[in-house]
Amino acid sequence: MGGSALAGGRITAVIVDDHAAIAAGVRYWCEQARPTIELIDARARMANVWTGPGAGADVVIFDLELVPKNPAFGELRRLADHGRRVVVYSQHSDSPTVLKCVNLGALAYLTKTEGPEHLVPAIRAAAAGRPYTAPSLGGALAGDDDPGRPRISHREAEVLRAWFAASSKELVAARLRISVKTVDTHIERVRIKYANVGRAARTKSDLVTRALHDGLITLDELGAAPDPVS
């Protein structure tokens, strides 16, 4: 995570978007802001967010759909889990997508119809570690009545992912430096939350399926796990 904003220097942001016109427009807005915001163009490559100048940026401006019809919820979760401060800037305006991004750790969600009057303040807020509520997000929050949306905490998700990558709960406990009883408690809470919204997950395989669907884990991460469903 970048540190210039915390040190009182110029804010730096890295944009990940597959439309050059969008990146150019955001660059112009950042240059016109006072004080200016330094923009790094990752050119739609996630690798450029993790290496080079993008790795030190204070804020990640993230286009959710770099691949058509394939929202990158897993990448968003990965960014948030690593402490990156993310502003999602997307063409999607439906409430389920907006709320899912916030639940995964985005500090702000803006649609691409929301211009510099919202994007620039959202970048500044995110650089300081604060959320920003644009009209699209405000509307989604007000109407959040999705009965299929469990509220999984960051710690519960962390335990769940560690369990998918381990052959036993004892290994999870050792890795996270908690007791086996605590591991069981977190997993049971997740099961209850899914059951309460009508998406029962009685087995480890069921939980893997739910986690993939909800962006809690990516296929690449799951493929690297030694024993995800035993």
Side-chain angles (χ1 to χ4, degrees), residues 42-218:
R43 301 186 184 279
R45 290 175 53 84
M46 286 303 302
N48 292 337
V49 175
W50 299 104
T51 61
D58 300 303
V59 178
V60 179
I61 305 168
F62 185 57
D63 179 4
L64 186 64
E65 197 169 289
L66 297 172
V67 178
K69 299 182 179 180
N70 186 26
F73 294 118
E75 294 292 352
L76 172 58
R77 195 267 303 159
R78 181 185 175 209
L79 287 165
D81 281 0
H82 281 78
R84 302 301 295 270
R85 294 165 176 174
V86 183
V87 172
V88 175
Y89 197 47
S90 172
Q91 74 271 26
H92 291 282
S93 59
D94 59 289
S95 291
T97 297
V98 175
L99 292 167
K100 186 168 185 176
C101 288
V102 173
N103 290 337
L104 288 172
L107 287 172
Y109 189 104
L110 288 83
T111 67
K112 289 182 178 176
T113 61
E114 292 169 316
E117 69 277 11
H118 290 294
L119 183 57
V120 170
I123 294 169
R124 295 201 192 285
R130 301 191 309 269
Y132 179 86
T133 304
S136 55
L137 176 55
L141 292 173
D144 184 13
D145 58 356
D146 185 351
R149 188 180 305 284
R151 295 294 187 265
I152 308 299
S153 73
H154 177 81
R155 187 58 165 173
E156 288 164 352
E158 182 181 37
V159 170
L160 205 62
R161 290 193 296 272
W163 188 40
F164 294 159
S167 58
S168 71
K169 292 176 182 176
E170 287 77 10
L171 289 174
V172 176
R175 174 184 169 187
L176 299 181
R177 298 182 179 180
I178 57 178
S179 69
V180 174
K181 182 178 180 180
T182 300
V183 173
D184 278 326
T185 298
H186 282 303
I187 293 173
E188 185 58 27
R189 285 176 180 169
V190 173
R191 291 192 197 280
I192 290 170
K193 288 180 178 182
Y194 273 115
N196 286 343
V197 296
R199 299 170 66 198
R202 298 180 180 87
T203 68
K204 193 172 186 178
S205 294
D206 289 339
L207 279 175
V208 168
T209 300
R210 301 295 185 227
L212 284 170
H213 181 270
D214 292 341
L216 296 173
I217 192 170
T218 65

Side-chain angles (χ1 to χ4, degrees), residues 1-13 35-38 56-59 85 123-130:
M1 181 175 62
S4 65
L6 297 179
R10 177 183 295 184
I11 293 172
T12 59
T36 60
I37 297 168
E38 180 183 348
D58 300 303
V59 178
R85 294 165 176 174
I123 294 169
R124 295 201 192 285
R130 301 191 309 269

